[in-house]
Amino acid sequence: QVQLVESGGGMVHPGGSLTLSCTASGSSFSRRAMAWYRQTPGMERALVARITSSRATTYADSAKGRFTISRDNAKNTVYLQMNSLQLEDTAVYYCGAWKATAILSTIWSTPPDYWGQGIQVTVSS
């Protein structure tokens, strides 16, 4: 079992920046694909960014050019650097992890196997 703990959320003005962190318990972190999703009321949870064990990254169109996902395997932590935040970025952000044995086709087509508890990001003027 993997436990994921997010931190770094909060309130920021439009145009501001935030960095979210997600620290994972357990073993095999370096072999897991990791991701950030977000969810607003009444909407489905949606992918923001994903990073594989080989550090290949994918981004939602809304995140491209503004957000950067990265990982530090020595710290069992994945980050989401968010710049130029907009009102519509307001959401609960969730960290997700796939099983260490997940293959790329699974990672590309299915949601993570494990989730954090979520953290609020509010962009407000």
Side-chain angles (χ1 to χ4, degrees):
Q1 192 70 7
V2 175
Q3 290 187 327
L4 304 173
V5 179
E6 301 106 335
S7 61
M11 181 176 290
V12 64
H13 293 306
S17 298
L18 276 178
T19 299
L20 304 181
S21 301
C22 170
T23 300
S25 67
S27 60
S28 304
F29 176 82
S30 64
R31 296 194 290 126
R32 298 184 188 278
M34 303 292 295
W36 289 96
Y37 282 66
R38 68 187 183 187
Q39 188 172 22
T40 55
M43 301 295 288
E44 292 189 358
R45 199 171 295 185
L47 177 69
V48 176
R50 175 174 50 213
I51 185 167
T52 67
S53 58
S54 61
R55 301 179 187 270
T57 57
T58 54
Y59 294 91
D61 287 343
S62 59
K64 289 178 181 177
R66 300 188 301 127
F67 295 1
T68 302
I69 189 170
S70 61
R71 64 191 300 157
D72 185 339
N73 291 338
K75 296 182 178 180
N76 279 16
T77 300
V78 62
Y79 304 96
L80 185 68
Q81 172 69 42
M82 303 186 291
N83 299 324
S84 303
L85 283 161
Q86 303 166 357
L87 297 176
E88 51 267 35
D89 294 316
T90 295
V92 177
Y93 285 71
Y94 295 89
C95 176
W98 282 265
K99 295 178 182 177
T101 54
I103 58 176
L104 281 178
S105 60
T106 299
I107 294 165
W108 255 236
S109 62
T110 65
D113 298 297
Y114 309 102
W115 294 100
Q117 80 283 0
I119 193 164
Q120 179 70 45
V121 171
T122 301
V123 184
S124 174
S125 56

